[in-house]
Amino acid sequence: MTGLVAHALAFAPGTPRRIEGVNLGVAPGELHVLLGPNGAGKSTLLGLLAGDLHPARGEVVLDGRSLADWPPMALARRRAVMMQRESLPFPFTVREVVGLGRLPWQRDDASPAEQRKVMLALEQAGAAALADRRYPALSGGERARVQLARALVQIAADDAGDQDPTGRYLLLDEPTASLDFAFQHHSLITMRRLADRGVGVLAILQDPNLALRHADVVSLLDRGRLVASGPPADVLDAERLSAVYGLPIEALSRPDGSLAQLIAGSER
């Protein structure tokens, strides 16, 4: 069985970070968006899927093998994680920060082949112009693009002749949070292209409209429980979202009846 799959996950029951009985899968070639209000457990669930947190009950399986059975180095070559906040106070250049993503491959990061991978990842993330800047001097949005590049290069093929990324997974915690409108869509288009090449992508987002436009699958989490999961147009039901977020949400449709946009009203 391929994919990154959570089976009946539970974590810290009775606490704000709780996860209760979640079944969820990220398939190769899929852009899967996780939505939910603040405190719903989205980051906790991503940490469980990444193997950074250990469930109280249930199991996470990567391509048919329990995540707990993967050697750390092998796991790092198969899945990369971008967290909401990355603290790096050292005056590394952007190129050096992105090169850290190649550490699981234990390669000479100064080699031309490795440098090409780094620059390709920076180009994909829209950050090539930042390559020689010092990371601590960057804005929040610039740092987010650099961290996306670091995650991208981590799952890049090791062999220059092996360009098939199938079986690799990218887990992103609010990758668009610090980005302007243009770079939000640029980043999601990059994720879409990776998914089209066989990478399984899970991204936590806050904007249902971004999910509607870009995702293959949307999962909606609320208070540690999975409320719904499936195609965006099915999950992003205005009545369901209104109940989860606690404010009225209106759905706008295209002339053909398909869902076009979601608009939030005032709080109740």
Side-chain angles (χ1 to χ4, degrees):
M1 178 178 61
T2 60
L4 181 63
V5 183
H7 297 289
L9 282 189
F11 179 83
T15 74
R17 298 182 69 197
R18 71 186 184 276
I19 294 294
E20 300 184 17
V22 169
N23 295 289
L24 182 144
V26 183
E30 174 181 275
L31 175 50
H32 191 140
V33 168
L34 185 60
L35 294 173
N38 292 340
K42 302 184 297 297
S43 295
T44 301
L45 180 55
L46 185 140
L48 291 165
L49 289 166
D52 295 333
L53 298 175
H54 303 290
R57 294 187 302 277
E59 182 183 37
V60 179
V61 175
L62 173 60
D63 290 342
R65 182 180 181 182
S66 175
L67 211 61
D69 294 335
W70 280 86
M73 197 68 76
L75 180 60
R77 294 173 181 174
R78 295 290 297 277
R79 68 94 183 93
V81 183
M82 176 185 168
M83 303 306 294
Q84 275 189 60
R85 298 174 183 86
E86 302 280 0
S87 177
L88 188 64
F90 305 107
F92 292 165
T93 66
V94 164
R95 197 189 304 266
E96 289 169 333
V97 171
V98 175
L100 295 174
R102 296 303 294 168
L103 290 177
W105 299 94
Q106 298 180 315
R107 295 291 182 263
D108 177 9
D109 60 6
S111 72
E114 291 297 299
Q115 285 301 305
R116 282 195 295 271
K117 290 184 176 69
V118 166
M119 287 308 301
L120 176 59
L122 281 166
E123 290 168 7
Q124 290 174 322
L130 304 174
D132 296 316
R133 295 266 306 275
R134 296 290 174 181
Y135 183 80
L138 301 181
S139 70
E142 289 169 335
R143 291 187 186 194
R145 285 147 55 194
V146 171
Q147 289 299 334
L148 175 59
R150 180 200 52 75
L152 294 175
V153 82
Q154 183 177 329
I155 57 170
D158 182 36
D159 180 0
D162 174 16
Q163 298 302 318
D164 182 9
T166 303
R168 296 184 175 91
Y169 299 87
L170 193 60
L171 308 179
L172 308 167
D173 193 348
E174 297 197 31
T176 63
S178 300
L179 301 180
D180 64 27
F181 179 78
F183 274 114
Q184 285 182 353
H185 286 279
H186 176 96
S187 294
L188 284 159
I189 290 168
T190 297
M191 296 171 210
R192 170 77 272 155
R193 289 171 177 165
L194 285 170
D196 289 343
R197 294 182 58 216
V199 176
V201 182
L202 176 71
I204 295 174
L205 300 180
Q206 292 291 359
D207 185 349
N209 286 305
L210 288 175
L212 177 63
R213 178 168 180 177
H214 295 282
D216 298 308
V217 176
V218 171
S219 291
L220 182 62
L221 201 66
D222 185 27
R223 288 172 288 185
R225 296 182 180 276
L226 193 63
V227 174
S229 186
D234 294 344
V235 173
L236 299 177
D237 174 77
E239 184 176 352
R240 178 187 290 128
L241 292 175
S242 297
V244 167
Y245 285 97
L247 77 165
I249 293 176
E250 180 183 358
L252 302 182
S253 299
R254 298 185 179 90
D256 63 3
S258 63
L259 180 60
Q261 188 178 10
L262 295 151
I263 299 177
S266 60
E267 294 185 0
R268 292 172 182 166

